[in-house]
Structure formats: C-alpha cells, structure tokens
Amino acid sequence: RSEAPPATAAPATPASAPGPPQEPAKQDAAAYGSIWNTNNWHWEERNCIDTARNELRKALERCEANGLRHVRELGGACVILKNVEVQGKCGIWIRKGKRILSLELSVAFDWEFRDEFGGALGVKGTGKAIGMTEEDDEPPPKVEVKVSASSSGGKEAKAAGEWMRGKGAVVVGSALEGKDLGAAILAADEAQAKPEADRQRRAAELAKAEEARRATSEAQARIAAQVR
C-alpha cells in the first residue's frame, strides 16, 4: 500500500510590511465664517473694524510704554497719548478655509509731554496718520504732528515739541506698520474663534434642516395620497 506523502508545512506568513503613515484626525476648522459657510469654503466678508480699532489702540499703548517714555534727550520726559480715534474700514474675506485681510485705516490722537516727575511740561498737541494698509511692503505711515498754540512752556517745552514733530512722529509711525497691525488683527480674530461651539451650532442647524425636509416630504406624501 502506497503511503501518502508527508504533509508539507505551510510557508510562514511574512510579517506584513508597515503601511503608509496614518493621517492625523482632521481637526475642526476654526470658526471664522458664518454657520451657512460650511468649512469656510465660500466667499464671505466679515466686518472687523472693532477688532482693528482695539489692536491699533494697543499698538499705540505699546508705543507709549516702550518708545515715548523716559526720552533721554529730554531729561527723562515722556509722552502721553490720549483721545485716540480710529477711522476707516477693515474686513476679513474668507475663501476655501483661508482668511484674507483688507484694511485701510487712519488714526488721530492728542499728545502731551510730562516731565520726569509726571508733571505737565507745558507742551501738547495733536497727531494723525492716514493710509494704513495690510501690505507687507508698505513703509510705516507718515505721522503728522502739530503743537498746540496754547502750549505755554519754556525752553524745555519748545525742545519737547520739536522732538515730537521729528523723532516722536517716526516712533509713532513705526508702531503702526501695516504688516504688524495686520498680523495682530488676524491673531485677535483667531483668538475669538470657538470651533467646538461653532461645530455644535452647525450640527443643530443641519438637524433642523433635516427635520424640515422630513416634515415637507411627509406632507407631500399625504397630499399625494389624498389626491389619489
């Protein structure tokens, strides 16, 4: 009787080669657009003038703290900026999940010099800058500074007024560069976004739309049955 050939062991299964790296889970897009603008895909413009005003005022506050305080040429005197008024327009365009900033602003303010002890130096005036945009290659805006005719200080006050018209105007203008202001506005806008709350609102709106579609479909079916 012929014997069956010995069983051949099945070849060992090679270890599976590592697959391509898994893509990380897709995060919810930041809540930049309106609820109707799914994934912030469609063209939409949002008015951001209030954010622009806040960021421009903050820029002047930093300028006052870092560039206009303890002026060495004037014996430690400092400049106080007040009554800041911002005019113009600022909008963020949304398209395909990206934000495009568009701004054109002007600012006017009052200024006053204080001596190293905080007392009035006797010189004050106004200043303004126009044509601030978001363009990276734009030079700092030119700041026009005027000294009030009512200033009543002496030699030190006169020197302070001349400094403000010259170096002071340059310091203020440098604080208002469009690229820095634009970056600050976009950062502030992003900080205000609440992706999870936005996701929940969108889900609620979709549920309402689906419920309305279902109710409409049922109503149409009832009408069709009555007609038959």
Side-chain angles (χ1 to χ4, degrees):
R1 188 177 61 177
S2 60
E3 295 181 357
T8 304
T13 303
S16 58
Q22 296 293 320
E23 294 185 0
K26 189 173 181 180
Q27 301 295 319
D28 289 332
Y32 299 137
S34 300
I35 291 178
W36 60 264
N37 196 349
T38 305
N39 295 325
N40 305 307
W41 188 256
H42 305 285
W43 280 110
E44 180 184 355
E45 184 185 19
R46 291 192 290 104
N47 186 349
C48 295
I49 187 61
D50 289 338
T51 301
R53 287 193 177 105
N54 289 336
E55 293 307 313
L56 199 152
R57 289 190 174 100
K58 289 179 182 178
L60 289 178
E61 289 172 1
R62 289 191 295 270
C63 175
E64 182 180 311
N66 301 322
L68 300 176
R69 183 167 294 178
H70 305 306
V71 179
R72 183 178 303 175
E73 301 98 307
L74 301 173
C78 61
V79 183
I80 304 298
L81 304 179
K82 54 186 179 180
N83 300 328
V84 176
E85 294 186 4
V86 181
Q87 301 293 333
K89 57 185 179 180
C90 177
I92 293 180
W93 287 92
I94 299 168
R95 172 61 170 160
K96 294 184 177 180
K98 296 181 179 180
R99 296 174 300 158
I100 305 169
L101 179 67
S102 174
L103 66 88
E104 185 174 352
L105 301 173
S106 64
V107 61
F109 56 88
D110 295 336
W111 61 269
E112 180 182 2
F113 254 103
R114 301 274 178 160
D115 62 24
E116 65 271 31
F117 304 108
L121 196 60
V123 60
K124 58 185 178 180
T126 61
K128 67 178 181 179
I130 62 175
M132 287 174 282
T133 71
E134 76 285 356
E135 298 296 335
D136 290 344
D137 55 355
E138 286 286 333
K142 183 178 179 180
V143 179
E144 179 183 345
V145 171
K146 293 183 179 181
V147 178
S148 173
S150 63
S151 297
S152 57
K155 182 179 179 180
E156 291 182 350
K158 183 177 180 180
E162 291 300 321
W163 185 91
M164 189 62 186
R165 271 196 289 250
K167 292 185 178 180
V170 174
V171 170
V172 175
S174 297
L176 300 176
E177 285 195 69
K179 61 179 180 180
D180 296 331
L181 186 58
I185 293 171
L186 288 174
D189 178 70
E190 185 172 356
Q192 295 170 7
K194 298 178 180 179
E196 178 58 25
D198 180 75
R199 186 192 65 78
Q200 293 177 3
R201 287 195 300 270
R202 292 176 189 271
E205 288 296 320
L206 287 174
K208 289 180 182 179
E210 177 61 22
E211 180 61 28
R213 186 198 64 77
R214 185 182 301 109
T216 300
S217 178
E218 292 174 353
Q220 290 174 342
R222 287 195 301 271
I223 294 173
Q226 292 172 358
V227 171
R228 287 197 301 267

